[in-house]
Coordinates of all heavy atoms in Angstrom, one line a residue:
M38 N 150.5 123.1 84.0 CA 149.6 122.8 85.1 C 148.4 122.0 84.6 O 147.3 122.5 84.3 CB 149.1 124.1 85.6 CG 150.1 124.9 86.4 SD 149.1 126.1 87.2 CE 150.4 127.4 87.4
P39 N 148.5 120.7 84.5 CA 147.4 119.9 84.0 C 146.3 119.7 85.0 O 145.2 119.4 84.6 CB 148.1 118.5 83.7 CG 149.3 118.5 84.5 CD 149.7 119.9 84.7
F40 N 146.5 119.9 86.3 CA 145.5 119.8 87.3 C 145.2 121.1 88.0 O 145.0 121.1 89.2 CB 145.9 118.7 88.3 CG 146.1 117.4 87.8 CD1 147.3 116.8 87.6 CD2 145.0 116.7 87.4 CE1 147.5 115.5 87.1 CE2 145.1 115.4 86.8 CZ 146.3 114.8 86.7
S41 N 145.1 122.2 87.3 CA 144.8 123.4 87.9 C 143.3 123.5 88.2 O 142.5 123.0 87.5 CB 145.2 124.6 87.0 OG 144.4 124.6 85.8
R42 N 143.0 124.1 89.3 CA 141.6 124.1 89.8 C 140.9 125.3 89.2 O 141.3 126.4 89.3 CB 141.5 124.2 91.3 CG 140.2 124.2 91.9 CD 140.2 124.2 93.4 NE 138.8 124.4 93.8 CZ 138.5 124.5 95.1 NH1 139.4 124.4 96.0 NH2 137.3 124.8 95.4
S43 N 139.7 125.0 88.6 CA 138.9 126.1 88.0 C 138.2 126.9 89.1 O 138.0 126.4 90.2 CB 137.9 125.5 87.0 OG 137.0 126.5 86.6
E44 N 137.9 128.1 88.8 CA 137.1 129.0 89.7 C 135.7 128.5 89.9 O 135.1 128.8 90.9 CB 137.1 130.4 89.2 CG 138.4 131.1 89.1 CD 138.3 132.5 88.6 OE1 137.2 132.9 88.3 OE2 139.4 133.1 88.3
N45 N 135.2 127.7 89.0 CA 133.8 127.3 89.1 C 133.6 125.9 89.7 O 132.4 125.5 89.8 CB 133.2 127.2 87.7 CG 133.2 128.6 87.0 OD1 133.1 129.6 87.7 ND2 133.4 128.6 85.7
V46 N 134.6 125.3 90.2 CA 134.5 123.9 90.8 C 133.6 124.0 92.0 O 132.7 123.1 92.2 CB 135.9 123.3 91.1 CG1 135.7 122.0 91.9 CG2 136.6 123.0 89.8
G47 N 133.8 125.0 92.9 CA 133.0 125.0 94.1 C 131.5 125.2 93.8 O 130.7 124.6 94.4
A48 N 131.2 126.1 92.9 CA 129.8 126.4 92.5 C 129.2 125.1 91.9 O 128.1 124.8 92.1 CB 129.7 127.6 91.6
L49 N 130.0 124.4 91.0 CA 129.5 123.2 90.4 C 129.2 122.1 91.4 O 128.2 121.5 91.3 CB 130.6 122.7 89.4 CG 130.2 121.5 88.6 CD1 129.0 121.7 87.8 CD2 131.4 121.0 87.8
L50 N 130.1 122.0 92.4 CA 129.8 121.0 93.4 C 128.6 121.3 94.3 O 127.8 120.4 94.6 CB 131.1 120.8 94.3 CG 132.3 120.2 93.7 CD1 133.5 120.2 94.6 CD2 132.0 118.8 93.2
Q51 N 128.4 122.6 94.6 CA 127.2 123.0 95.3 C 126.0 122.8 94.5 O 125.0 122.3 95.0 CB 127.3 124.5 95.7 CG 128.3 124.8 96.8 CD 128.4 126.3 97.1 OE1 128.0 127.1 96.2 NE2 128.8 126.6 98.3
A52 N 126.0 123.0 93.2 CA 124.9 122.8 92.3 C 124.5 121.3 92.2 O 123.4 120.9 92.3 CB 125.1 123.4 90.9
I53 N 125.6 120.5 92.2 CA 125.3 119.0 92.1 C 124.7 118.6 93.5 O 123.7 117.8 93.5 CB 126.6 118.3 91.9 CG1 127.1 118.5 90.4 CG2 126.5 116.8 92.2 CD1 128.4 118.0 90.1
G54 N 125.2 119.1 94.6 CA 124.7 118.8 95.9 C 123.2 119.2 96.0 O 122.4 118.5 96.5
V55 N 122.9 120.4 95.6 CA 121.5 120.9 95.7 C 120.6 120.1 94.8 O 119.5 119.8 95.2 CB 121.5 122.4 95.3 CG1 120.0 122.9 95.1 CG2 122.2 123.2 96.4
G56 N 121.1 119.8 93.6 CA 120.3 119.0 92.7 C 120.0 117.6 93.3 O 118.8 117.1 93.2
L57 N 121.0 116.9 93.8 CA 120.8 115.6 94.4 C 119.9 115.7 95.6 O 119.0 114.8 95.8 CB 122.2 115.0 94.8 CG 123.0 114.5 93.6 CD1 124.4 114.1 94.1 CD2 122.4 113.4 92.9
G58 N 120.1 116.7 96.4 CA 119.3 116.9 97.6 C 117.8 117.1 97.3 O 116.9 116.5 97.9
G59 N 117.6 117.9 96.3 CA 116.2 118.2 95.8 C 115.6 117.0 95.2 O 114.4 116.7 95.5
G60 N 116.3 116.2 94.5 CA 115.8 115.0 93.9 C 115.4 113.9 94.9 O 114.4 113.3 94.9
V61 N 116.3 113.7 95.9 CA 116.1 112.8 97.0 C 114.9 113.3 97.8 O 114.0 112.5 98.2 CB 117.3 112.6 97.9 CG1 117.0 111.8 99.2 CG2 118.4 111.9 97.1
G62 N 114.8 114.6 98.1 CA 113.7 115.2 98.8 C 112.4 114.9 98.1 O 111.4 114.6 98.8
A63 N 112.3 115.1 96.8 CA 111.1 114.9 96.0 C 110.7 113.4 96.1 O 109.5 113.1 96.2 CB 111.3 115.3 94.6
I64 N 111.7 112.5 96.0 CA 111.3 111.1 96.1 C 110.8 110.7 97.5 O 109.8 110.0 97.6 CB 112.6 110.2 95.7 CG1 112.9 110.4 94.3 CG2 112.4 108.8 96.1 CD1 114.3 109.8 93.9
V65 N 111.4 111.2 98.5 CA 110.9 110.9 99.9 C 109.6 111.5 100.1 O 108.7 110.9 100.7 CB 111.9 111.5 100.9 CG1 111.4 111.4 102.3 CG2 113.2 110.7 100.8
F66 N 109.3 112.8 99.6 CA 108.0 113.4 99.7 C 106.9 112.6 99.0 O 105.9 112.4 99.6 CB 108.1 114.8 99.1 CG 106.9 115.6 99.3 CD1 106.4 116.0 100.6 CD2 106.1 116.0 98.2 CE1 105.3 116.7 100.7 CE2 105.0 116.8 98.3 CZ 104.5 117.1 99.6
R67 N 107.2 112.1 97.8 CA 106.2 111.3 97.1 C 106.0 110.0 97.8 O 104.8 109.5 97.9 CB 106.6 111.1 95.7 CG 106.5 112.3 94.8 CD 106.9 112.1 93.4 NE 106.1 111.0 92.9 CZ 105.2 111.2 91.9 NH1 104.9 112.3 91.4 NH2 104.5 110.1 91.5
W68 N 107.0 109.4 98.4 CA 106.9 108.2 99.1 C 106.0 108.4 100.4 O 105.2 107.5 100.7 CB 108.3 107.6 99.5 CG 108.2 106.4 100.3 CD1 108.0 105.1 99.9 CD2 108.3 106.3 101.8 NE1 108.0 104.2 101.0 CE2 108.2 105.0 102.1 CE3 108.5 107.2 102.7 CZ2 108.2 104.5 103.4 CZ3 108.6 106.8 104.1 CH2 108.4 105.5 104.4
L69 N 106.2 109.5 101.1 CA 105.4 109.8 102.3 C 104.0 110.0 101.9 O 103.1 109.5 102.6 CB 106.0 111.0 103.0 CG 107.2 110.9 103.8 CD1 107.8 112.2 104.2 CD2 107.0 110.0 105.0
I70 N 103.7 110.7 100.8 CA 102.3 110.9 100.4 C 101.7 109.5 100.1 O 100.5 109.2 100.5 CB 102.2 111.8 99.1 CG1 102.6 113.2 99.5 CG2 100.9 111.7 98.5 CD1 102.7 114.2 98.4
A71 N 102.4 108.6 99.3 CA 101.8 107.3 99.0 C 101.6 106.5 100.3 O 100.6 105.8 100.4 CB 102.8 106.6 98.0
S72 N 102.5 106.6 101.2 CA 102.4 105.8 102.5 C 101.2 106.3 103.3 O 100.5 105.4 103.8 CB 103.7 105.9 103.3 OG 104.8 105.4 102.6
V73 N 101.0 107.6 103.4 CA 99.9 108.1 104.2 C 98.6 107.7 103.5 O 97.6 107.3 104.1 CB 100.0 109.6 104.4 CG1 98.7 110.2 104.9 CG2 101.1 109.9 105.3
N74 N 98.6 107.8 102.2 CA 97.4 107.4 101.4 C 97.1 105.9 101.6 O 95.9 105.5 101.8 CB 97.6 107.7 99.9 CG 96.3 107.4 99.1 OD1 95.2 107.6 99.6 ND2 96.5 107.0 97.9
R75 N 98.1 105.1 101.6 CA 97.9 103.6 101.7 C 97.4 103.3 103.1 O 96.5 102.5 103.3 CB 99.2 102.9 101.5 CG 99.2 101.5 101.3 CD 100.4 100.8 100.8 NE 101.7 101.4 101.3 CZ 102.5 102.2 100.5 NH1 102.2 102.5 99.3 NH2 103.6 102.7 101.0
V76 N 98.0 104.0 104.2 CA 97.6 103.7 105.5 C 96.2 104.2 105.8 O 95.3 103.6 106.4 CB 98.6 104.3 106.5 CG1 98.0 104.2 107.9 CG2 99.9 103.5 106.5
A77 N 95.9 105.4 105.3 CA 94.6 106.1 105.7 C 93.4 105.6 104.9 O 92.3 105.5 105.4 CB 94.8 107.6 105.5
F78 N 93.7 105.3 103.6 CA 92.5 104.9 102.7 C 92.6 103.5 102.2 O 91.6 102.8 102.3 CB 92.4 105.9 101.6 CG 92.2 107.3 102.1 CD1 93.2 108.3 102.0 CD2 91.0 107.7 102.7 CE1 93.0 109.6 102.4 CE2 90.8 109.0 103.1 CZ 91.8 109.9 103.0
A79 N 93.7 103.1 101.6 CA 93.7 101.7 101.0 C 93.7 100.7 102.1 O 93.0 99.7 102.0 CB 94.9 101.6 100.1
G80 N 94.4 100.9 103.2 CA 94.4 99.9 104.3 C 93.5 100.3 105.4 O 93.6 99.8 106.5
G81 N 92.7 101.3 105.2 CA 91.8 101.8 106.2 C 90.9 100.9 106.8 O 90.5 101.0 108.0
D82 N 90.5 99.9 106.0 CA 89.5 98.9 106.6 C 90.2 98.1 107.8 O 89.5 97.8 108.7 CB 89.1 97.9 105.5 CG 88.3 98.6 104.4 OD1 87.7 99.6 104.7 OD2 88.3 98.0 103.3
R83 N 91.5 97.9 107.7 CA 92.1 97.2 108.7 C 92.6 98.1 109.8 O 92.7 97.7 111.0 CB 93.3 96.4 108.2 CG 92.9 95.4 107.2 CD 94.1 94.6 106.8 NE 95.2 95.5 106.3 CZ 95.5 95.7 105.0 NH1 94.9 95.0 104.1 NH2 96.5 96.5 104.7
L84 N 93.0 99.4 109.5 CA 93.7 100.2 110.5 C 92.9 101.3 111.1 O 92.9 101.4 112.3 CB 95.0 100.8 109.8 CG 96.0 99.9 109.2 CD1 97.0 100.6 108.5 CD2 96.6 99.1 110.4
L85 N 92.1 102.0 110.3 CA 91.4 103.2 110.9 C 89.9 103.0 111.0 O 89.3 103.7 111.9 CB 91.7 104.4 110.0 CG 93.1 104.9 109.9 CD1 93.2 106.0 108.9 CD2 93.6 105.3 111.3
A86 N 89.3 102.1 110.3 CA 87.9 101.9 110.4 C 87.4 101.5 111.8 O 86.4 102.0 112.3 CB 87.4 100.9 109.4
P87 N 88.1 100.6 112.5 CA 87.7 100.3 113.9 C 87.7 101.4 114.8 O 86.9 101.5 115.8 CB 88.6 99.2 114.3 CG 89.2 98.6 113.1 CD 89.2 99.7 112.1
V88 N 88.6 102.4 114.6 CA 88.8 103.5 115.5 C 87.8 104.6 115.1 O 87.1 105.2 116.0 CB 90.2 104.0 115.5 CG1 90.4 105.3 116.3 CG2 91.2 103.0 115.9
L89 N 87.8 105.0 113.9 CA 87.0 106.1 113.4 C 85.6 105.8 112.9 O 84.8 106.6 112.7 CB 87.7 106.9 112.4 CG 89.1 107.5 112.8 CD1 89.8 108.2 111.6 CD2 88.8 108.5 113.9
G90 N 85.4 104.5 112.5 CA 84.1 104.1 111.9 C 84.2 104.4 110.4 O 85.2 104.8 109.8
S91 N 83.1 104.3 109.7 CA 83.0 104.5 108.3 C 83.2 105.9 107.8 O 83.7 106.1 106.7 CB 81.7 103.9 107.7 OG 80.6 104.6 108.3
P92 N 82.9 107.0 108.6 CA 83.2 108.3 108.1 C 84.6 108.8 108.1 O 84.9 110.0 107.9 CB 82.3 109.2 109.0 CG 81.9 108.4 110.1 CD 82.2 107.0 109.8
F93 N 85.6 107.9 108.3 CA 87.0 108.3 108.4 C 87.4 108.9 107.1 O 88.4 109.7 107.1 CB 87.9 107.2 108.8 CG 88.1 106.1 107.8 CD1 89.3 106.3 107.0 CD2 87.3 105.1 107.6 CE1 89.5 105.3 106.0 CE2 87.6 104.1 106.6 CZ 88.7 104.3 105.8
V94 N 86.8 108.5 106.0 CA 87.2 109.1 104.7 C 86.9 110.6 104.6 O 87.7 111.3 103.9 CB 86.5 108.3 103.5 CG1 86.8 108.9 102.2 CG2 86.8 106.9 103.5
V95 N 86.0 111.1 105.3 CA 85.7 112.5 105.4 C 86.4 113.2 106.5 O 86.9 114.3 106.4 CB 84.2 112.7 105.5 CG1 83.8 114.2 105.6 CG2 83.4 112.1 104.3
L96 N 86.5 112.5 107.6 CA 87.1 113.1 108.8 C 88.6 113.3 108.7 O 89.1 114.3 109.2 CB 86.8 112.3 110.1 CG 85.3 112.3 110.5 CD1 85.1 111.3 111.7 CD2 84.9 113.7 110.9
L97 N 89.3 112.4 108.1 CA 90.7 112.4 108.0 C 91.2 113.7 107.3 O 92.1 114.4 107.7 CB 91.3 111.2 107.4 CG 92.8 111.0 107.6 CD1 93.2 110.9 109.1 CD2 93.3 109.7 106.9
P98 N 90.7 114.0 106.1 CA 91.1 115.2 105.4 C 90.7 116.5 106.2 O 91.4 117.5 106.2 CB 90.3 115.2 104.1 CG 90.1 113.8 103.8 CD 89.9 113.2 105.2
I99 N 89.6 116.5 107.0 CA 89.3 117.6 107.8 C 90.3 117.8 108.9 O 90.7 118.9 109.2 CB 87.8 117.4 108.3 CG1 86.8 117.5 107.2 CG2 87.5 118.5 109.4 CD1 85.4 117.2 107.6
V100 N 90.7 116.7 109.5 CA 91.7 116.8 110.6 C 93.0 117.4 109.9 O 93.7 118.2 110.5 CB 92.0 115.5 111.2 CG1 93.2 115.5 112.1 CG2 90.8 115.0 112.0
G101 N 93.4 116.9 108.8 CA 94.6 117.4 108.1 C 94.5 118.9 107.8 O 95.4 119.7 107.9
L102 N 93.3 119.3 107.3 CA 93.1 120.7 107.0 C 93.3 121.6 108.3 O 93.9 122.7 108.2 CB 91.7 120.9 106.5 CG 91.2 122.4 106.3 CD1 92.0 123.0 105.1 CD2 89.7 122.4 106.0
V103 N 92.7 121.2 109.4 CA 92.8 121.9 110.7 C 94.3 122.0 111.1 O 94.8 123.0 111.5 CB 91.9 121.3 111.7 CG1 92.2 121.9 113.1 CG2 90.5 121.5 111.4
L104 N 95.0 120.9 111.0 CA 96.4 120.9 111.4 C 97.3 121.8 110.5 O 98.1 122.6 111.0 CB 97.0 119.4 111.3 CG 96.5 118.5 112.4 CD1 97.0 117.1 112.1 CD2 97.0 118.9 113.7
V105 N 97.1 121.7 109.2 CA 97.9 122.6 108.3 C 97.5 124.0 108.5 O 98.4 124.9 108.5 CB 97.6 122.1 106.8 CG1 98.2 123.2 105.9 CG2 98.3 120.8 106.6
S106 N 96.2 124.3 108.7 CA 95.8 125.7 108.9 C 96.5 126.3 110.2 O 96.9 127.4 110.2 CB 94.3 125.7 109.1 OG 93.8 127.0 109.4
N107 N 96.5 125.5 111.2 CA 97.2 125.9 112.5 C 98.7 126.1 112.3 O 99.3 127.1 112.8 CB 96.9 125.0 113.6 CG 95.5 125.1 114.1 OD1 94.9 126.2 114.0 ND2 94.9 124.0 114.6
I108 N 99.3 125.2 111.5 CA 100.7 125.3 111.3 C 101.0 126.6 110.5 O 101.9 127.4 110.8 CB 101.3 124.1 110.5 CG1 101.3 122.9 111.5 CG2 102.6 124.3 110.0 CD1 101.6 121.6 110.8
V109 N 100.2 126.9 109.5 CA 100.4 128.1 108.6 C 100.2 129.3 109.5 O 100.9 130.3 109.4 CB 99.6 128.0 107.4 CG1 99.5 129.4 106.7 CG2 100.0 127.0 106.4
R110 N 99.1 129.3 110.2 CA 98.8 130.5 111.1 C 99.9 130.8 112.1 O 100.2 132.0 112.3 CB 97.5 130.3 111.8 CG 97.0 131.5 112.5 CD 95.6 131.4 113.1 NE 94.6 130.9 112.0 CZ 93.9 129.9 112.2 NH1 93.9 129.1 113.3 NH2 93.0 129.5 111.3
R111 N 100.5 129.8 112.6 CA 101.5 130.0 113.7 C 102.9 130.3 113.1 O 103.6 131.2 113.6 CB 101.6 128.8 114.6 CG 102.7 128.8 115.6 CD 102.7 127.6 116.5 NE 102.3 128.2 117.8 CZ 102.1 127.4 118.8 NH1 102.2 126.2 118.8 NH2 101.8 128.0 120.0
W112 N 103.4 129.5 112.1 CA 104.8 129.6 111.7 C 104.9 130.3 110.3 O 106.1 130.6 110.0 CB 105.4 128.2 111.7 CG 105.7 127.8 113.1 CD1 106.5 128.3 114.0 CD2 105.1 126.6 113.7 NE1 106.5 127.6 115.2 CE2 105.6 126.5 115.0 CE3 104.2 125.6 113.3 CZ2 105.3 125.5 115.9 CZ3 103.9 124.6 114.2 CH2 104.4 124.6 115.5
A113 N 103.9 130.4 109.6 CA 104.1 131.1 108.2 C 102.8 131.9 107.9 O 102.1 131.7 106.9 CB 104.2 130.0 107.2
P114 N 102.6 133.0 108.7 CA 101.4 133.8 108.4 C 101.4 134.5 107.1 O 100.4 134.8 106.5 CB 101.4 134.8 109.6 CG 102.8 134.8 110.0 CD 103.4 133.5 109.8
E115 N 102.6 134.7 106.5 CA 102.7 135.3 105.2 C 102.1 134.4 104.1 O 101.8 134.8 103.0 CB 104.1 135.7 104.8 CG 105.1 134.5 104.6 CD 105.6 133.9 105.9 OE1 105.3 134.4 107.0 OE2 106.4 133.0 105.8
A116 N 102.0 133.1 104.3 CA 101.5 132.1 103.4 C 99.9 132.1 103.3 O 99.4 131.3 102.6 CB 102.0 130.8 103.6
Q117 N 99.3 132.8 104.2 CA 97.8 132.7 104.2 C 97.2 133.5 103.0 O 97.8 134.4 102.5 CB 97.3 133.4 105.5 CG 97.5 132.5 106.7 CD 97.0 133.2 108.0 OE1 96.7 134.4 108.0 NE2 96.8 132.4 109.0
G118 N 96.1 133.0 102.5 CA 95.5 133.7 101.4 C 95.1 132.6 100.3 O 95.2 131.4 100.6
H119 N 94.8 133.1 99.2 CA 94.4 132.3 98.1 C 95.4 132.4 96.9 O 96.0 133.4 96.7 CB 93.0 132.7 97.6 CG 92.0 132.6 98.6 ND1 91.5 131.4 99.1 CD2 91.3 133.6 99.4 CE1 90.6 131.6 100.0 NE2 90.5 132.9 100.2
G120 N 95.5 131.3 96.2 CA 96.3 131.3 94.9 C 97.7 130.9 95.2 O 98.2 130.8 96.3
V121 N 98.4 130.7 94.1 CA 99.8 130.2 94.1 C 100.7 131.2 94.7 O 101.6 130.9 95.5 CB 100.2 129.8 92.7 CG1 101.7 129.5 92.6 CG2 99.4 128.7 92.1
P122 N 100.6 132.5 94.4 CA 101.5 133.5 95.0 C 101.5 133.6 96.5 O 102.5 133.9 97.1 CB 101.2 134.8 94.3 CG 100.4 134.5 93.1 CD 99.7 133.2 93.4
E123 N 100.3 133.3 97.0 CA 100.2 133.4 98.5 C 100.9 132.2 99.1 O 101.2 132.1 100.2 CB 98.7 133.5 98.9 CG 98.0 134.7 98.3 CD 98.6 136.0 98.8 OE1 99.1 136.0 100.0 OE2 98.6 136.9 98.1

């Protein structure tokens, strides 16, 4: 039997899939962070300054804080608190 299937092939394929998915997810996440930074701050003179004025550098993180706080309070109350374990 030169082509017998090992018991570990399914687990190996799942591990490869999870690894590839995690890698692609990390790349997309970093790209999204860079894109938001570029739009909000680097290109802000052209995009956000006419709408928000010059204090947009302070107001934008505050808006993000309020949004994330509401998301955590509504959908992940166990994540409230301080530190990495929380």
Side-chain angles (χ1 to χ4, degrees):
M38 289 191 208
F40 295 109
S41 65
R42 182 175 170 183
S43 173
E44 296 176 7
N45 297 328
V46 171
L49 179 64
L50 291 175
Q51 286 179 340
I53 290 171
V55 168
L57 288 173
V61 169
I64 291 170
V65 169
F66 184 64
R67 288 183 57 112
W68 177 80
L69 285 171
I70 290 172
S72 296
V73 168
N74 185 33
R75 193 170 36 254
V76 167
F78 298 110
D82 293 338
R83 296 185 308 256
L84 300 173
L85 295 177
V88 176
L89 297 176
S91 58
F93 77 93
V94 175
V95 175
L96 291 176
L97 195 62
I99 292 172
V100 169
L102 173 70
V103 169
L104 288 174
V105 169
S106 176
N107 287 330
I108 288 170
V109 168
R110 188 175 304 126
R111 173 176 250 178
W112 287 297
E115 68 277 0
Q117 289 180 340
H119 300 287
V121 175
E123 300 298 328

